[in-house]
Each structure stands twice: as C-alpha cells, then as structure tokens.
Amino acid sequence: MAENPVAENSEQRGASGAVLRPGRAADPVPASPDSAINAAQRTAALQQEDDSAQSGESPEPQGNNEASGEESTATGQEISESGQVQAESRQRKLRLLLRQCDRVLLMDFNLLAMPDWPDNYQVAAARRSRDLWVFSALVAASFFLSGLTGFVPAWIAGGGFGAFVIILLLGVPFIRRIYTSSPSHLDLMIRRQRMLRDARKHVAHLEGDEGLIWQCARMAEFNPALRHTRFTELLRLSERKVLPRYLTRRDHVRLYLIYLLEAEKAYGKVQAAFFEGNQEAIDRGWRSVAAVPEHQA
C-alpha cells in the first residue's frame, strides 16, 4: 500500500516533464524505386507507380500531348483538302463528258435501225420479175421486127406488136399497181437510197461540227465495249469530221447505231456517278465541288 502512492507520483512527474519537439521534414518520394535510400522510400515509389498505371496517366508531359494533337489536326485538314481537290477534279471531268456527249440522247433508233429496209429476198424476187418483163418485151419486139422483114406472117407480126405495147404498159408504175401490189425492183432501190440518205442526215446532225463518237470514246472507263477494235475506223472518221459521207452501206449505219447504244449506256453511268459525287460533296459541305443550278432569267 505504501509503494503505490510513490509510483503514481513518479509517473505523474514523468508525464508532466515530457516536451514535444519539432522534427525534420519528410523525405521526398524518389522518382524510381532504384534511387530509394531505404525500404520505406522504395515502397512509396512502387505504390506511386501502381497508382499511375491504374489511373491510366501517361508519363509524357502535357506539352507533348498538345503538340501531337495539333499535328493530328493539321494532318486531318490536309487529308480533307486533298480529298476535296480530287473530288473537284473528278466532278469537272464528269461534267465535261456529259456536256460533250449529250447529243447521244438525241439518237433516233428507228431512223438508224431502218426496220423497213428491203431485204435481199425481196430485191431478188423483184429482179426476177424485172428480167421476165424485159425478156417478154424483147420477144414481142423480135416478132414484130421479123414480120417487117417478111420472115413471119403479118398477123404474127401484128400480134407481136400488140403484145409489145401491152408489156410496155404493164411496166408503167400506176398501171402495174392495178394487177400487183409487190414493189418493183426500181421501187426497192429508191426506198433503200432514201432510207440511207435519211440515216446519213441524222448522223450528220448528231456528229455536228466537232464530231460525237470520238469524244464519247472517253467514257470507255464506264463501258469497256467502247474500246472494241471494230469501232476504230468510225472513231477515226469522226475525229476527222468526215464520218457521214463514208456511211454508204447499211452495215456502216448499223455499226454506228451499235456504238451509240453502248455510248448511251456509258452516259447513264457517268450521269449517275456525277450525281452521286455531287450529293457526297453536299453532305461534306464542299461548296466548290457541288454543282450549283443556273438561275434562269
């Protein structure tokens, strides 16, 4: 019992005699665990690296990030400007093709196809009829002339003269149409010449002063059939602006018609590509590329 008061007094004196003194500053966290002086600093550096990795922070400084962002923005602008220039050049090329080959749409298919063209069978049948008519007229004339010389009786010569006159009358067009509806050989030849002349006039109208199909040959990108070698001569004559005068046969006109049909297909594809490029330019806001409709006065 006597020791407890003494012990308590000593503890109170020790507690009241303790004084808190300011210590030194904390050690800075090293940049890497290898440069740590003690285990505590190495543990703090490792913990800081783990926190940085988990938060996804980049060790690069902020200045480098801003510079890379500016470079990427500049690169994007250059790519956009390059695409705009290419689109503008392509639209200009397509617009030129449409302007140069627009006369393809004026083609008259029936006039160039000539569906009523007399075929070779009709011409051959008409030629046989003509030859028979000429032969009959010559026989009747020979009997008449033989009667004048006295080789045949007079009544045979008179009959030959009458037959000769009738045969000649049957060759007159308006009398011939009374007993037959088939055209004569001369009618068929005249019809052929007229149809060929009309086709050549239409070709001259389509070709104009500058030529047509040789300019349409630039649309071969959209229709490879325009590169066929059978059209080479037509393209050469069209470029020389002398094509209509060399279309002297129906085969030439039909070959020209085939080329126009292929060119018409290519023209439709060019027109579709132009409208598609124009719509894309409008969507991207390229005003210099998009076609602006002309204001009518």
Side-chain angles (χ1 to χ4, degrees), residues 4 28 32 202 211 216:
N4 290 337
S32 62
H202 186 57
C216 296

Side-chain angles (χ1 to χ4, degrees), residues 112-114 117 120 192 196 199 230-231 234 246-259:
L112 297 179
M114 294 181 283
W117 180 269
N120 294 333
R192 278 187 171 186
L196 188 59
R230 60 178 175 173
F231 302 125
L234 291 179
Y246 285 92
L247 299 180
T248 57
R249 298 173 54 186
R250 187 197 182 199
D251 298 341
H252 301 160
V253 179
R254 290 181 68 88
L255 186 61
Y256 183 82
L257 174 62
I258 293 173
Y259 190 91

Side-chain angles (χ1 to χ4, degrees), residues 96-223:
L96 180 61
L97 288 176
L98 293 176
R99 186 181 301 112
Q100 291 177 340
C101 302
D102 56 354
R103 290 196 303 274
V104 172
L105 304 178
L106 302 178
M107 175 189 61
D108 190 341
F109 178 82
N110 292 328
L111 193 59
L112 297 179
M114 294 181 283
D116 298 331
W117 180 269
D119 56 12
N120 294 333
Y121 176 78
Q122 292 178 340
V123 173
R127 185 183 295 112
R128 285 195 300 269
S129 300
R130 183 202 60 184
D131 295 341
L132 180 60
W133 175 79
V134 173
F135 178 76
S136 301
L138 291 176
V139 170
S142 62
F143 278 108
F144 172 69
L145 295 177
S146 298
L148 294 177
T149 58
F151 286 101
V152 295
W155 64 273
I156 294 178
F161 179 75
F164 177 73
V165 173
I166 293 174
I167 292 172
L168 288 181
L169 291 176
L170 292 177
V172 178
F174 68 90
I175 296 177
R176 188 175 185 277
R177 296 190 186 97
I178 297 176
Y179 67 91
T180 181
S181 59
S182 59
S184 63
H185 183 267
L186 181 61
D187 295 337
L188 295 179
M189 291 297 101
I190 292 175
R191 185 191 302 176
R192 278 187 171 186
Q193 294 297 328
R194 184 180 67 254
M195 297 177 67
L196 188 59
R197 183 175 61 252
D198 294 341
R200 292 172 63 182
K201 287 182 179 179
H202 186 57
V203 171
H205 173 67
L206 293 177
E207 288 291 315
D209 298 331
E210 300 297 331
L212 175 62
I213 62 174
W214 74 275
Q215 299 185 79
C216 296
R218 302 173 185 175
M219 297 190 298
E221 176 185 354
F222 298 90
N223 189 0

